[in-house]
Structures are given as C-alpha cells and as structure tokens.
Amino acid sequence: MGGAPAASAGGRCERPPLLPRVAASQGGGMLGKGVVGGGGGTKAPKPSFVSYVRPEEIHTNEKEVTEKEVTLHLLPGEQLLCEASTVLKCVQEDSCQRGIYGRLVCTDFKIAFLGDDESALDNDETQFKNKVIGENDITLHCVDQIYGVFDEKKKTLFGQLKKYPEKLIIHCKDLRVFHFCLRYTKEEEVKRIVSGIIHHTQAPKLLKRLFLFSYATAAQNHTATDPKNHAVMFDTLQDWCWELERTKGNMKYKAVSVNEGYKVCERLPAYFVVPTPLPEEDVPRFQGHGIPIWCWSCHSGCALLKMSALPKEQDDGILQIQKNFLDGIYKTIHRPPYETVKTEDLSSNFLSLQEIQTAYSKFKQLFLIDNSTEFWDTDIKWFSLLESSSWLDIIRRCLKKAIEIIECLEAQNMNVLLLEENASDLCCLVSSLVQVMMDPHCRTRFGFQSLVQKEWIVGGHCFLDRCNHLRQSDKEEVPVFLLFLDCVWQLVHQHPPAFEFTETYLTVLSDSLYIPIFSTFFFNSPHQKDTNMGRESQGAQSKPLNLLTVWDWSVQFEPKAQMLLKNPLYVEKPKLDKGQRKGTHFKHQRQLSLPLTQSKSSPKRGFFREETDHLIKNLLGKRISKLINSSEELQDNFREFYDSWRSKPPNYHGLLLPHIEGPEIKVWAQRYLRWIPEAQILGGGRVATLSKLLEMMEEVQRLQEKIEERHHSQEALQAEAASLLRTSARLSSLFPFALLQRHSSKPVLPTSGWKALGDEEDLAKREDEFVDLGDV
C-alpha cells in the first residue's frame, strides 16, 4: 500500500482500515501529459493513489458531507446554473494524489468548488482574501482551456460531448490549474456540470448577456464611491483641460468637443486634444482618421501624439484628396525650425500583434504545472524554453522603443507622432510607457490609474476583443495590456522607491481583467460603454446602470489587505517652501546633465515635402524602408543618451529608464509563478528584505514619535504593513499569493531527466541550462 493516502468522504484524505476497492483518480493526474502540458518534460508515472472508500459509502454519506461543505455565496444578480456533488478536487503531488471532496458548481459568474477545507486555513492565510473571488473560484471569463481525461489520455473539451471524462482539468488565464475527479459523481450530474461549464465558458456570447449587466441591474441600490476619487476619468472636457494644464501643454494644444455624442466617430472619445492650429472642421473629414491626437507634453514643450491611418483606397482621385488633406494636417505639427516632428510607424517598424500573441501562448505554458515532478523536469530545460517563447525579448523591444522616443523628446526636442492602423493597441502601449518613464505623476497610484483611463480606456483599446470576453474570435485575442503591465513591472522591480504602488498592485490589476463586475475592461470604446449602460426602460423614474470601476479597490479588498498595494518604501516628492517655489519651475532634475545631440542644420529646400511624403505613405498603408533618421544614426543617438543616463545616480522624481541588457529583463515571478509552491523561497526573496526594512522604519518612527510626541496616520499604516508581513504564514518570495499545498516542495532531482544529461563532464558543459527560480 506504500502509505498512500486514501480519500475520505468527510473531506481530507485519510487511510481507514479497509481493503482497496477502486483507484480514486485512475485515469487522471499527469496521464496524457505528452498531449498538452506546462512546457514539456518526461511522462510522469501512473498515480499510485488508492481509495479505501467504496463508491456506495460515498453516496450513503453524501448528506453528511453536504452539511460540512462551505455555503455558496452569490453576488447580486448571480444565479446558480448547475452543480455536481462528491467531486474530488485533486492536489497534485508527484506520482500520488491528494484531494478534498465537495461540490462543484457553475453560476452565470463563476465556477466554484465548495469543500470542507476552510478549517485548514488559518487567519494569516486569508489576510489577502479577495472579497469577490475566492481561492477555489474561477470567473467564467478567466477560463482559458478545459481538458478531460479519458482512459488515461488528456484531451481538449469543446462543443457537445458523446462521452464524458473521468477527470476535468481547467487552465485559467491567471495561470491557476484545477483538477476535479468525477469518478464518484453521479453520471447525470457529471453530464450536467461538464456540459454547463463548457457551454458557459466557450460558447459565443452577446454583450448584453455578460454578467456585468446582471450585476449592475441587481446592485442599482448599492452605493458606489465617486470614480473621480480614484482616477481622472477623462469623460469630460474639464478633465482634458486639467491634464493640459498639468503638463503645460495648453500653450500649443486645445481640448475639443467636436465628437460630443459620438456624432463624428464612434471609435474616438467624446472629448480629446488636438493641435491648436488644427481647424475643428477637419476632424470629421475622414471620421477622425489622419488627425494627430495629443497624448502628453513634456517639460520642454515637445509633445507625444498619435494618429490612425486613413482607409486604403485604390482610386487615384481619392488618394490625391487624402494626400492634400495630410499635407495640411502635417503643417500644424511640423513648423521648422521652431517645431519639428519625428514619425514612428508602429504598424510596419515594430511588433505585430501576432508576434505578441504567439510569444505569450508559448510563455504561459511554462507555468501551467501539474505536479512537482513536472516542475523539476521542466526546470532542466528552463532557459531554452524561456528563450524560445521570445516573451522577454518582446518586453525588451517595447522598453527600448519607449527609450528611443524619449530620446527624441528629451534630447532632440522633437515632437513624436505615433502611427498605427487604429491607434488603439501599440500606440496605447508605447505612449503609456513613455509617460511612466518621464512623468513622476504617472508613478503614483492615482496618476497611474488616470494614465490607464486616458490612454487605454478612453483611448479606445478594444478590451472586449483583446481579452476575448465574448468568445467570438480567438484571432482577436492579444494580451497587449498584460504586456504593458509586464513592462511596468520591470521598472517597478528595478526602481522600487520611484513607485507609490507595488508589484502586488500590478498583479491584482492583471487579475481584474477577468472579473465582470467592473466595467473598466469590458468594452471596446467609450461609445460602446455609453450606449450599453443607458436606461433599461423609457420610464421617467428609470436610472442608468451603476457600473463599478476597478479603481475602487475596497470592492475587492479590506483596508488591511489594501496596504499591500501601497509601497511603504516610496520616496515622495519633496515639497518646496515658498522661497523656492516663487522663482522655480519644476522640470526633470537630470535634463541638464543629459547629452545634447548636435543641433540639426536648417532643413534644405524640399525637406518638408519629402518628410510629408513619408508621413503620407505611412498613413496610406504603404511600407517604407526607413524613417527620417537612418538606423545607424538612431542607434548612435540612443546609445549615447542611454549610457549617459545610466552613468548618473537615479532621480526617482525625474526621468526613469529601465535597464534592458541581457539578464536585466526578468520573469514577473509573483504573477507567473505564484501558484507553483516549488518556485517559492519560504521566508526569503525580496519580501524578506522588505520586511526587515519595515521593521527598521518602525523603530525609527517610534523614536521620532518620542521626540516629536505625536503620531502620524501614515506611520500607523506603515507599521500595520510591517506587522502583516511578519505574522503571515505565507511569507515567501511570492508573498502574498503562494499556496503551501504541495508538501513535497523540496527540490527533487528528476532521475529520468538527470540521467539523460550524461556524465559529470557533460553536466558541466550544460550547467547554463539550470536556473534558481528564486532569482528569476
């Protein structure tokens, strides 16, 4: 019997003195791993788990089990669709299996497992509990792939099934993996729960059928905080005027309401900013296409703009009209020698959306790990698998592109115009990164949330399509926003004191993409949102739908848990006294020491026409071989600018650039490895350093209190954060997400893969294939 644990109907696995009758999860576990899995590896041995509980005993005691199970909590408007009893939620552990019995339910909001497991969780483990989604809950939008195990083979499930699996495996978009054994579940319940989960997670949906609207309708009487307390929403003309004034861009740019009511273009927001010389009557000419839209202005007066391409036409007459139109538009932003512009065509000279999707599809497979054996088998070829995904290289290219644009703005004093087909994907990504690096306001939580509202939500990023919330087209699904968060994490990881928020904040923000009670990430445009949140009836007493914003973190977390979203080591901008403020105009501290490129000579005759032709070719969808500057000149300027910045001490309230060479770009461990116990360092990692720093800060604050005889509220919050870190049972390198469920978290050497490496001499030659995930 080998000491294998047995499944008990009362909850945790035990070993009663009965003769073995049935293999509880035979046909489940790692069987069929060669078909799909987390990055490959050798095939695991068959499970040795043996049940000492007879099926008839399980069904006999079903009433007793139900009495111990956790109550299903439903949100306003949430409805139970189907359920199955006596389901074993497996905890994969090497070649044996452990588990908990309970109910598997499916609602119109989530899939939830309700088992007798709450007694196993202490108070420390629930300190970072999400109030909306539990650890055993999966929102329907978070389901990535569903697999079934049939006769020891793992197959993808979709559509109508002729045969139902013995085991259900669910891969989530937040990289959790759930294994549910259905061997002891009644046949009719298996059919109902499997069919229900497949249908409600994979079938195409209509927008109005999303749970977002059911929740908003049912929660009409619930009070919600004002969204403007958490971010500038950019849904009024005043918001844009405020941003122009904040960035000193109101001298050259103006906020317009020409698209109010979306009468010009449904793709554009109701309000936006354009160059002051631009006639407003030009905006409707091509439904907003070909119009330079302002993103941000830097201290020198140079601006970052974006433009969507004009529709492709074959008729020569229409092409000439477009050319004349662009010629006039270009004069509003390119007026040498006083004002010049650099065009950056992201559609043809940068990443493609297909590259991003393909890279992430490979990358995420590295973290969908079933058990400890597969983890260590994969670890042997970690570097080669990581490199082949190209995800880290894509992050590096995005950061490098942002630095190149910053060099034009900061060192060359040029406007930069980003070009893209619809200016709603890569334009959002690059412009946001530039602002995070150049504008310290965007590194505060309020500023960052306002940035996401401005560039992504109001900027028209198609979250509904890119996250595939409606399941209508897998081809449209591309994790552009997740790529942006990963790039920001690189900056947070490299320069922690510069950011008011933590990596935990970025992680829960990425999770919030799939929680359909917030309207933030569930529409393609402001027009689509405004159209669908209107009155439910024509009655005079009817009210618009009350859609929540994700920026109200109190909806998901208690105040104590929210402390983990705030960086206690953030270096706030020092306040200037009146004498300093009187004659001082704030600008980047580092700018005077930055290398200034040699000023360009006055443009030769014909330069303007030549430059305009380049722009026109870009906007008309025709590829060009090079932009204004040659690649050699661009590379030299970039290297000089970048090396000079790195040679200076960091200024956390000035220009902030990432390190992008070689190993400087790292895996976002907290997000991607948090569900893999073997990847964590218990009591170690950066969180251990943070805990010690907070202890020192506490001690300094106590001494300061004795001197000043007063207590500041901010100090109390920092002390509470330190206490939270020290007392948590989950304190590890992946805090606060790591789950301590697999007991065999020691580094078990995979003998099958180890022998394949050859002798000791061969091992030395290939030592670069190993990596300590604690340092990733």
Side-chain angles (χ1 to χ4, degrees):
M1 298 179 188
S8 167
R12 294 280 176 183
C13 297
E14 299 175 353
R15 186 176 57 185
L18 295 175
L19 294 176
R21 287 287 303 267
V22 184
S25 296
Q26 196 169 8
M30 286 303 300
L31 303 177
K33 187 172 74 72
V35 180
V36 286
T42 56
K43 186 174 181 179
K46 293 183 180 181
S48 60
F49 176 68
V50 179
S51 171
Y52 296 85
V53 182
R54 301 176 181 87
E56 58 268 22
E57 293 178 22
I58 294 176
H59 296 303
T60 301
N61 296 325
E62 190 170 332
K63 183 177 180 180
E64 179 184 348
V65 175
T66 304
E67 292 176 352
K68 294 184 178 181
E69 287 171 351
V70 183
T71 304
L72 175 63
H73 298 286
L74 298 176
L75 294 175
E78 185 178 3
Q79 296 181 351
L80 177 64
L81 301 176
C82 52
E83 63 179 307
S85 303
T86 326
V87 174
L88 177 66
K89 177 178 177 287
C90 303
V91 178
Q92 302 299 313
E93 186 173 316
D94 294 337
S95 58
C96 67
Q97 296 177 354
R98 306 162 64 88
I100 303 167
Y101 276 116
R103 275 192 304 155
L104 184 62
V105 304
C106 180
T107 72
D108 56 350
F109 169 63
K110 65 178 180 284
I111 301 166
F113 177 78
L114 309 174
D116 184 26
D117 61 345
E118 284 202 335
S119 60
L121 298 174
D122 56 34
N123 291 331
D124 287 326
E125 287 193 286
T126 57
Q127 288 181 106
F128 196 64
K129 181 179 179 181
N130 191 307
K131 297 192 293 183
V132 178
I133 301 295
E135 289 186 353
N136 289 325
D137 295 344
I138 316 166
T139 65
L140 301 182
H141 296 282
C142 192
V143 174
D144 192 11
Q145 292 289 339
I146 302 175
Y147 303 99
V149 176
F150 303 84
D151 300 327
E152 304 185 3
K153 293 183 180 179
K154 187 175 176 182
K155 299 179 181 178
T156 305
L157 300 183
F158 55 88
Q160 295 290 332
L161 301 181
K162 296 180 180 179
K163 182 180 179 182
Y164 289 85
E166 300 167 329
K167 188 172 185 178
L168 194 66
I169 303 175
I170 300 177
H171 286 184
C172 304
K173 292 183 179 181
D174 61 5
L175 304 181
R176 289 180 294 169
V177 178
F178 288 87
H179 295 250
F180 300 108
C181 177
L182 307 173
R183 198 170 183 83
Y184 291 148
T185 309
K186 294 178 181 179
E187 184 178 355
E188 58 271 22
E189 291 186 357
V190 172
K191 292 181 180 179
R192 192 179 305 120
I193 192 68
V194 173
S195 299
I197 289 176
I198 292 174
H199 174 74
H200 292 290
T201 59
Q202 296 184 355
K205 300 177 181 64
L206 297 175
L207 178 60
K208 277 288 191 178
R209 299 302 298 272
L210 294 181
F211 179 73
L212 173 70
F213 296 97
S214 301
Y215 179 82
T217 303
Q220 279 289 70
N221 296 327
H222 291 207
T223 58
T225 60
D226 186 352
K228 294 187 181 296
N229 294 337
H230 312 290
V232 180
M233 305 306 289
F234 292 98
D235 54 359
T236 66
L237 198 64
Q238 290 72 24
D239 288 346
W240 287 101
C241 292
W242 177 86
E243 181 72 356
L244 277 172
E245 185 177 354
R246 185 188 72 82
T247 60
K248 305 297 186 293
N250 49 359
M251 300 297 293
K252 299 180 180 179
Y253 298 89
K254 63 182 178 182
V256 296
S257 58
V258 65
N259 197 38
E260 197 169 32
Y262 307 101
K263 54 186 178 233
V264 171
C265 177
E266 296 179 357
R267 177 184 53 83
L268 291 175
Y271 311 99
F272 50 92
V273 175
V274 296
T276 300
L278 181 72
E280 290 190 24
E281 55 268 20
D282 282 352
V283 176
R285 284 279 300 275
F286 295 96
Q287 295 185 321
H289 290 274
I291 298 297
I293 296 178
W294 177 87
C295 297
W296 181 77
S297 290
C298 68
H299 58 87
S300 63
C302 297
L304 180 64
L305 306 109
K306 62 182 178 182
M307 182 187 290
S308 58
L310 290 173
K312 297 180 180 180
E313 296 288 347
Q314 301 297 327
D315 183 83
D316 291 339
I318 297 178
L319 283 173
Q320 186 60 44
I321 293 175
Q322 291 182 346
K323 191 173 185 299
N324 294 337
F325 173 75
L326 291 176
D327 193 18
I329 292 294
Y330 199 67
K331 292 178 181 178
T332 66
I333 56 176
H334 185 83
R335 293 173 291 178
Y338 307 105
E339 196 169 11
T340 58
V341 68
K342 166 74 161 56
T343 59
E344 191 69 53
D345 184 10
L346 300 179
S347 296
S348 61
N349 296 292
F350 192 42
L351 295 167
S352 69
L353 297 181
Q354 183 61 45
E355 283 182 86
I356 297 173
Q357 176 62 19
T358 300
Y360 185 71
S361 296
K362 294 179 181 178
F363 179 73
K364 69 181 180 181
Q365 294 301 321
L366 302 177
F367 310 102
L368 297 170
I369 302 296
D370 281 332
N371 60 27
S372 184
T373 298
E374 182 179 352
F375 174 84
W376 294 110
D377 282 350
T378 306
D379 188 58
I380 294 176
K381 41 191 175 181
W382 167 262
F383 275 144
S384 59
L385 293 172
L386 186 61
E387 183 181 16
S388 64
S389 73
S390 300
W391 181 250
L392 296 185
D393 184 60
I394 283 179
I395 294 172
R396 179 181 291 105
R397 290 170 65 184
C398 291
L399 294 172
K400 186 174 183 292
K401 178 61 68 175
I403 297 172
E404 291 174 357
I405 291 170
I406 290 172
E407 191 270 335
C408 291
L409 292 167
E410 183 83 4
Q412 299 188 38
N413 290 325
M414 299 176 67
N415 293 329
V416 177
L417 178 65
L418 303 177
L419 308 176
E420 193 182 11
E421 183 177 356
N422 288 313
S424 60
D425 288 303
L426 299 176
C427 277
C428 300
L429 170 66
V430 174
S431 64
S432 298
L433 286 178
V434 169
Q435 292 174 64
V436 169
M437 294 181 197
M438 295 191 72
D439 191 345
H441 174 72
C442 297
R443 302 196 282 269
T444 65
R445 195 161 83 176
F446 183 89
F448 184 78
Q449 292 173 174
S450 300
L451 172 69
V452 174
Q453 279 292 140
K454 180 178 69 170
E455 296 298 332
W456 295 85
I457 312 302
V458 177
H461 182 65
C462 300
F463 282 100
L464 198 65
D465 294 339
R466 294 295 177 246
C467 297
N468 200 16
H469 288 318
L470 298 182
R471 301 285 181 174
Q472 292 182 350
S473 175
D474 292 340
K475 295 180 180 179
E476 296 293 326
E477 184 173 3
V478 185
V480 184
F481 186 69
L482 178 59
L483 175 59
F484 165 66
L485 294 181
D486 208 330
C487 291
V488 174
W489 178 86
Q490 304 293 333
L491 287 159
V492 171
H493 180 76
Q494 294 177 17
H495 308 286
F499 291 85
E500 189 184 27
F501 49 86
T502 62
E503 67 168 340
T504 303
Y505 168 87
L506 295 174
T507 300
V508 297
L509 181 56
S510 71
D511 292 342
S512 300
L513 284 168
Y514 312 111
I515 304 180
I517 67 171
F518 306 110
S519 63
T520 310
F521 303 124
F522 277 81
F523 294 101
N524 282 337
S525 66
H527 168 264
Q528 189 182 53
K529 177 182 176 181
D530 291 348
T531 301
N532 286 280
M533 68 179 288
R535 300 180 184 275
E536 287 294 295
S537 65
Q538 299 299 321
Q541 301 300 321
S542 61
K543 298 180 180 179
L545 289 179
N546 182 25
L547 301 181
L548 296 178
T549 173
V550 74
W551 310 127
D552 184 2
W553 294 106
S554 64
V555 176
Q556 295 190 64
F557 302 105
E558 297 292 350
K560 190 174 182 179
Q562 290 182 56
M563 287 307 304
L564 297 175
L565 309 182
K566 183 177 181 180
N567 181 13
L569 303 181
Y570 172 61
V571 178
E572 294 190 32
K573 179 182 175 183
K575 295 182 179 179
L576 302 176
D577 58 35
K578 293 183 179 179
Q580 290 176 302
R581 192 178 295 115
K582 184 177 180 181
T584 303
H585 175 68
F586 173 78
K587 50 187 178 182
H588 294 291
Q589 302 289 327
R590 195 185 307 276
Q591 66 162 347
L592 297 179
S593 62
L594 288 174
L596 297 177
T597 55
Q598 186 176 3
S599 58
K600 295 187 177 181
S601 58
S602 301
K604 299 178 181 179
R605 180 174 298 182
F607 172 83
F608 177 72
R609 172 60 59 187
E610 179 183 349
E611 183 65 14
T612 306
D613 289 341
H614 278 301
L615 175 67
I616 292 171
K617 289 180 180 179
N618 285 326
L619 294 175
L620 297 182
K622 299 178 180 178
R623 290 184 63 110
I624 57 174
S625 59
K626 60 181 180 179
L627 297 178
I628 307 169
N629 298 325
S630 66
S631 58
E632 293 81 4
E633 180 185 356
L634 184 63
Q635 188 65 30
D636 290 343
N637 291 340
F638 168 82
R639 177 51 58 186
E640 182 183 0
F641 175 80
Y642 183 68
D643 289 346
S644 177
W645 184 88
R646 290 198 62 174
S647 67
K648 303 292 190 301
N651 171 24
Y652 297 127
H653 297 287
L655 180 63
L656 194 72
L657 301 182
H659 306 309
I660 58 175
E661 284 87 0
E664 299 287 0
I665 304 298
K666 299 180 181 295
V667 172
W668 184 0
Q670 188 192 70
R671 185 184 193 276
Y672 300 121
L673 293 169
R674 55 183 158 156
W675 313 122
I676 306 176
E678 291 80 10
Q680 65 181 311
I681 307 172
L682 300 181
R686 299 190 68 172
V687 71
T689 305
L690 176 62
S691 179
K692 292 297 181 183
L693 286 172
L694 288 175
E695 287 183 28
M696 294 174 61
M697 291 172 64
E698 263 192 294
E699 182 63 26
V700 171
Q701 288 163 4
R702 281 194 293 267
L703 294 173
Q704 188 175 2
E705 287 171 20
K706 292 179 180 179
I707 296 173
E708 300 179 355
E709 296 181 350
R710 63 181 182 180
H711 184 75
H712 299 289
S713 60
Q714 184 177 359
E715 294 169 355
L717 291 175
Q718 289 179 342
E720 188 174 2
S723 174
L724 186 64
L725 286 173
R726 287 199 306 272
T727 59
S728 176
R730 292 186 176 191
L731 188 59
S732 74
S733 56
L734 303 178
F735 177 85
F737 294 100
L739 298 178
L740 310 180
Q741 289 187 350
R742 281 191 211 138
H743 299 283
S744 58
S745 59
K746 60 183 181 299
V748 181
L749 295 179
T751 54
S752 59
W754 196 265
K755 292 178 181 178
L757 290 175
D759 56 20
E760 187 174 332
E761 182 178 351
D762 183 52
L763 179 63
K765 294 178 181 178
R766 300 180 59 183
E767 66 180 27
D768 63 319
E769 292 189 19
F770 294 86
V771 61
D772 180 1
L773 287 173
D775 295 330
V776 173

